[in-house]
Amino acid sequence: MEYEQSFIDKTSCHETRCYENFRMKKDVFMNFCETLKEVGNLCDGKKVSIEEAVAMFLIIICHNLRHRVVAEQFQHSLHMVSKWFRIILKAVCKLGTSIIHQRNQTSTHPHIRDNPKYYPYFKDCIGAIDGTHVSAWAPASKQTAFHGRKVLVTQNVLAMCDFDVLFTFVYSGWEGTANDSRVFLDVLSPENNFPKPNGEGTYIICAIFVKKVVVHVKKKNYSITVTLH
């Protein structure tokens, strides 16, 4: 217990080491631990504190380390690392449902209002929607469907954020080979609780979600014509 507690103390007390290991500043790390305690109703175990459990969780997801490597680093059994990883993961998922939501916006956001490049063209815009591929794990029998554009096993994730750079909606689960427009059409289903804008609110969205872009190149003058259909 002395080794792993010493690691936590040294890391969390040093700004640079804390950020390098946990990808967050030390005050954010401590606040994150306290928030998870409240949201997930967590308490210290006999051999593992919440701070240590969160540290193991963050090191695994931030550096893509195997549980066996972390077990050796923190001097815990593989079962203990796996157990606490699942506990913290459930608490993080529970926290996500409370912080990822649409915020009420009754006026034009300052980022739009104070920039002549955007105002008044985007005065009703309340956020942006885009997709990304996130590394995933899938059974060998299903990996073919999850192989994305870069041959990696991925999920095609659609996300929405506002102009405060806060996520307001995340939709995951689609295979890496799924087309972006197919994901977008599926997310509009009523059961997915897509946060539709109120009144005249609009979103900035990549054209590939709703339209197919075909680029024709004219060899004579090398001009490019983009056709949307």
PDB file of all heavy atoms in Angstrom, residues 25-41:
ATOM      1  N   LYS A  25      -5.190  18.633 -14.648  1.00  0.00           N
ATOM      2  CA  LYS A  25      -4.448  19.321 -13.604  1.00  0.00           C
ATOM      3  C   LYS A  25      -4.832  18.755 -12.239  1.00  0.00           C
ATOM      4  O   LYS A  25      -5.879  18.137 -12.085  1.00  0.00           O
ATOM      5  CB  LYS A  25      -4.723  20.819 -13.665  1.00  0.00           C
ATOM      6  CG  LYS A  25      -4.254  21.467 -14.966  1.00  0.00           C
ATOM      7  CD  LYS A  25      -4.548  22.954 -14.989  1.00  0.00           C
ATOM      8  CE  LYS A  25      -4.065  23.590 -16.285  1.00  0.00           C
ATOM      9  NZ  LYS A  25      -4.367  25.041 -16.334  1.00  0.00           N
ATOM     10  N   LYS A  26      -3.964  19.000 -11.246  1.00  0.00           N
ATOM     11  CA  LYS A  26      -4.163  18.353  -9.951  1.00  0.00           C
ATOM     12  C   LYS A  26      -5.454  18.798  -9.268  1.00  0.00           C
ATOM     13  O   LYS A  26      -6.129  17.981  -8.627  1.00  0.00           O
ATOM     14  CB  LYS A  26      -2.967  18.603  -9.035  1.00  0.00           C
ATOM     15  CG  LYS A  26      -2.698  20.056  -8.684  1.00  0.00           C
ATOM     16  CD  LYS A  26      -1.484  20.168  -7.774  1.00  0.00           C
ATOM     17  CE  LYS A  26      -1.220  21.608  -7.362  1.00  0.00           C
ATOM     18  NZ  LYS A  26      -0.029  21.710  -6.472  1.00  0.00           N
ATOM     19  N   ASP A  27      -5.829  20.090  -9.414  1.00  0.00           N
ATOM     20  CA  ASP A  27      -7.075  20.531  -8.788  1.00  0.00           C
ATOM     21  C   ASP A  27      -8.281  19.904  -9.484  1.00  0.00           C
ATOM     22  O   ASP A  27      -9.281  19.565  -8.839  1.00  0.00           O
ATOM     23  CB  ASP A  27      -7.174  22.059  -8.803  1.00  0.00           C
ATOM     24  CG  ASP A  27      -7.078  22.642 -10.200  1.00  0.00           C
ATOM     25  OD1 ASP A  27      -6.382  22.048 -11.043  1.00  0.00           O
ATOM     26  OD2 ASP A  27      -7.705  23.689 -10.451  1.00  0.00           O
ATOM     27  N   VAL A  28      -8.173  19.721 -10.808  1.00  0.00           N
ATOM     28  CA  VAL A  28      -9.252  19.062 -11.555  1.00  0.00           C
ATOM     29  C   VAL A  28      -9.346  17.592 -11.143  1.00  0.00           C
ATOM     30  O   VAL A  28     -10.443  17.043 -10.985  1.00  0.00           O
ATOM     31  CB  VAL A  28      -9.016  19.180 -13.072  1.00  0.00           C
ATOM     32  CG1 VAL A  28     -10.099  18.441 -13.847  1.00  0.00           C
ATOM     33  CG2 VAL A  28      -8.974  20.641 -13.489  1.00  0.00           C
ATOM     34  N   PHE A  29      -8.187  16.963 -10.955  1.00  0.00           N
ATOM     35  CA  PHE A  29      -8.159  15.556 -10.541  1.00  0.00           C
ATOM     36  C   PHE A  29      -8.845  15.371  -9.191  1.00  0.00           C
ATOM     37  O   PHE A  29      -9.677  14.466  -9.017  1.00  0.00           O
ATOM     38  CB  PHE A  29      -6.713  15.065 -10.472  1.00  0.00           C
ATOM     39  CG  PHE A  29      -6.566  13.680  -9.907  1.00  0.00           C
ATOM     40  CD1 PHE A  29      -6.868  12.561 -10.670  1.00  0.00           C
ATOM     41  CD2 PHE A  29      -6.133  13.492  -8.594  1.00  0.00           C
ATOM     42  CE1 PHE A  29      -6.746  11.280 -10.144  1.00  0.00           C
ATOM     43  CE2 PHE A  29      -6.006  12.219  -8.062  1.00  0.00           C
ATOM     44  CZ  PHE A  29      -6.310  11.111  -8.840  1.00  0.00           C
ATOM     45  N   MET A  30      -8.520  16.230  -8.228  1.00  0.00           N
ATOM     46  CA  MET A  30      -9.113  16.103  -6.899  1.00  0.00           C
ATOM     47  C   MET A  30     -10.615  16.399  -6.934  1.00  0.00           C
ATOM     48  O   MET A  30     -11.407  15.707  -6.280  1.00  0.00           O
ATOM     49  CB  MET A  30      -8.410  17.048  -5.920  1.00  0.00           C
ATOM     50  CG  MET A  30      -6.919  16.760  -5.740  1.00  0.00           C
ATOM     51  SD  MET A  30      -6.544  15.028  -5.348  1.00  0.00           S
ATOM     52  CE  MET A  30      -7.393  14.833  -3.785  1.00  0.00           C
ATOM     53  N   ASN A  31     -11.016  17.404  -7.711  1.00  0.00           N
ATOM     54  CA  ASN A  31     -12.446  17.713  -7.844  1.00  0.00           C
ATOM     55  C   ASN A  31     -13.188  16.569  -8.532  1.00  0.00           C
ATOM     56  O   ASN A  31     -14.337  16.260  -8.183  1.00  0.00           O
ATOM     57  CB  ASN A  31     -12.639  19.005  -8.640  1.00  0.00           C
ATOM     58  CG  ASN A  31     -12.229  20.235  -7.866  1.00  0.00           C
ATOM     59  OD1 ASN A  31     -12.221  20.226  -6.635  1.00  0.00           O
ATOM     60  ND2 ASN A  31     -11.875  21.302  -8.565  1.00  0.00           N
ATOM     61  N   PHE A  32     -12.524  15.953  -9.504  1.00  0.00           N
ATOM     62  CA  PHE A  32     -13.117  14.819 -10.216  1.00  0.00           C
ATOM     63  C   PHE A  32     -13.365  13.656  -9.257  1.00  0.00           C
ATOM     64  O   PHE A  32     -14.422  13.021  -9.288  1.00  0.00           O
ATOM     65  CB  PHE A  32     -12.179  14.394 -11.346  1.00  0.00           C
ATOM     66  CG  PHE A  32     -12.715  13.298 -12.220  1.00  0.00           C
ATOM     67  CD1 PHE A  32     -13.965  13.393 -12.807  1.00  0.00           C
ATOM     68  CD2 PHE A  32     -11.955  12.163 -12.471  1.00  0.00           C
ATOM     69  CE1 PHE A  32     -14.461  12.384 -13.619  1.00  0.00           C
ATOM     70  CE2 PHE A  32     -12.432  11.151 -13.282  1.00  0.00           C
ATOM     71  CZ  PHE A  32     -13.692  11.257 -13.856  1.00  0.00           C
ATOM     72  N   CYS A  33     -12.402  13.404  -8.389  1.00  0.00           N
ATOM     73  CA  CYS A  33     -12.552  12.324  -7.401  1.00  0.00           C
ATOM     74  C   CYS A  33     -13.710  12.613  -6.450  1.00  0.00           C
ATOM     75  O   CYS A  33     -14.523  11.726  -6.151  1.00  0.00           O
ATOM     76  CB  CYS A  33     -11.255  12.152  -6.610  1.00  0.00           C
ATOM     77  SG  CYS A  33      -9.856  11.525  -7.574  1.00  0.00           S
ATOM     78  N   GLU A  34     -13.797  13.855  -5.973  1.00  0.00           N
ATOM     79  CA  GLU A  34     -14.868  14.219  -5.046  1.00  0.00           C
ATOM     80  C   GLU A  34     -16.235  14.134  -5.725  1.00  0.00           C
ATOM     81  O   GLU A  34     -17.217  13.695  -5.115  1.00  0.00           O
ATOM     82  CB  GLU A  34     -14.639  15.639  -4.510  1.00  0.00           C
ATOM     83  CG  GLU A  34     -13.427  15.773  -3.603  1.00  0.00           C
ATOM     84  CD  GLU A  34     -13.524  14.877  -2.374  1.00  0.00           C
ATOM     85  OE1 GLU A  34     -14.637  14.751  -1.813  1.00  0.00           O
ATOM     86  OE2 GLU A  34     -12.495  14.302  -1.979  1.00  0.00           O
ATOM     87  N   THR A  35     -16.288  14.539  -6.993  1.00  0.00           N
ATOM     88  CA  THR A  35     -17.556  14.480  -7.732  1.00  0.00           C
ATOM     89  C   THR A  35     -18.010  13.039  -7.922  1.00  0.00           C
ATOM     90  O   THR A  35     -19.197  12.720  -7.762  1.00  0.00           O
ATOM     91  CB  THR A  35     -17.401  15.161  -9.105  1.00  0.00           C
ATOM     92  OG1 THR A  35     -17.000  16.517  -8.923  1.00  0.00           O
ATOM     93  CG2 THR A  35     -18.717  15.129  -9.871  1.00  0.00           C
ATOM     94  N   LEU A  36     -17.066  12.156  -8.249  1.00  0.00           N
ATOM     95  CA  LEU A  36     -17.413  10.746  -8.429  1.00  0.00           C
ATOM     96  C   LEU A  36     -17.887  10.121  -7.120  1.00  0.00           C
ATOM     97  O   LEU A  36     -18.764   9.255  -7.116  1.00  0.00           O
ATOM     98  CB  LEU A  36     -16.212   9.971  -8.975  1.00  0.00           C
ATOM     99  CG  LEU A  36     -15.819  10.253 -10.429  1.00  0.00           C
ATOM    100  CD1 LEU A  36     -14.624   9.400 -10.829  1.00  0.00           C
ATOM    101  CD2 LEU A  36     -16.985   9.986 -11.371  1.00  0.00           C
ATOM    102  N   LYS A  37     -17.313  10.558  -6.006  1.00  0.00           N
ATOM    103  CA  LYS A  37     -17.760  10.051  -4.708  1.00  0.00           C
ATOM    104  C   LYS A  37     -19.225  10.398  -4.470  1.00  0.00           C
ATOM    105  O   LYS A  37     -20.002   9.577  -3.970  1.00  0.00           O
ATOM    106  CB  LYS A  37     -16.899  10.646  -3.587  1.00  0.00           C
ATOM    107  CG  LYS A  37     -15.477  10.123  -3.528  1.00  0.00           C
ATOM    108  CD  LYS A  37     -14.715  10.787  -2.388  1.00  0.00           C
ATOM    109  CE  LYS A  37     -13.261  10.322  -2.343  1.00  0.00           C
ATOM    110  NZ  LYS A  37     -12.509  10.986  -1.247  1.00  0.00           N
ATOM    111  N   GLU A  38     -19.600  11.618  -4.839  1.00  0.00           N
ATOM    112  CA  GLU A  38     -20.974  12.064  -4.616  1.00  0.00           C
ATOM    113  C   GLU A  38     -21.938  11.418  -5.604  1.00  0.00           C
ATOM    114  O   GLU A  38     -22.990  10.897  -5.216  1.00  0.00           O
ATOM    115  CB  GLU A  38     -21.046  13.589  -4.742  1.00  0.00           C
ATOM    116  CG  GLU A  38     -20.238  14.336  -3.692  1.00  0.00           C
ATOM    117  CD  GLU A  38     -20.270  15.830  -3.900  1.00  0.00           C
ATOM    118  OE1 GLU A  38     -21.004  16.284  -4.811  1.00  0.00           O
ATOM    119  OE2 GLU A  38     -19.571  16.554  -3.170  1.00  0.00           O
ATOM    120  N   VAL A  39     -21.571  11.451  -6.886  1.00  0.00           N
ATOM    121  CA  VAL A  39     -22.469  10.936  -7.923  1.00  0.00           C
ATOM    122  C   VAL A  39     -22.616   9.421  -7.839  1.00  0.00           C
ATOM    123  O   VAL A  39     -23.720   8.878  -7.941  1.00  0.00           O
ATOM    124  CB  VAL A  39     -21.959  11.339  -9.322  1.00  0.00           C
ATOM    125  CG1 VAL A  39     -22.796  10.677 -10.410  1.00  0.00           C
ATOM    126  CG2 VAL A  39     -21.989  12.846  -9.480  1.00  0.00           C
ATOM    127  N   GLY A  40     -21.495   8.732  -7.662  1.00  0.00           N
ATOM    128  CA  GLY A  40     -21.524   7.274  -7.637  1.00  0.00           C
ATOM    129  C   GLY A  40     -21.668   6.671  -6.259  1.00  0.00           C
ATOM    130  O   GLY A  40     -21.669   5.444  -6.118  1.00  0.00           O
ATOM    131  N   ASN A  41     -21.784   7.543  -5.241  1.00  0.00           N
ATOM    132  CA  ASN A  41     -21.901   7.066  -3.855  1.00  0.00           C
ATOM    133  C   ASN A  41     -20.746   6.120  -3.523  1.00  0.00           C
ATOM    134  O   ASN A  41     -20.944   5.021  -2.984  1.00  0.00           O
ATOM    135  CB  ASN A  41     -23.249   6.372  -3.640  1.00  0.00           C
ATOM    136  CG  ASN A  41     -23.568   6.173  -2.171  1.00  0.00           C
ATOM    137  OD1 ASN A  41     -23.066   6.900  -1.305  1.00  0.00           O
ATOM    138  ND2 ASN A  41     -24.379   5.173  -1.864  1.00  0.00           N
TER     139      ASN A  41
END
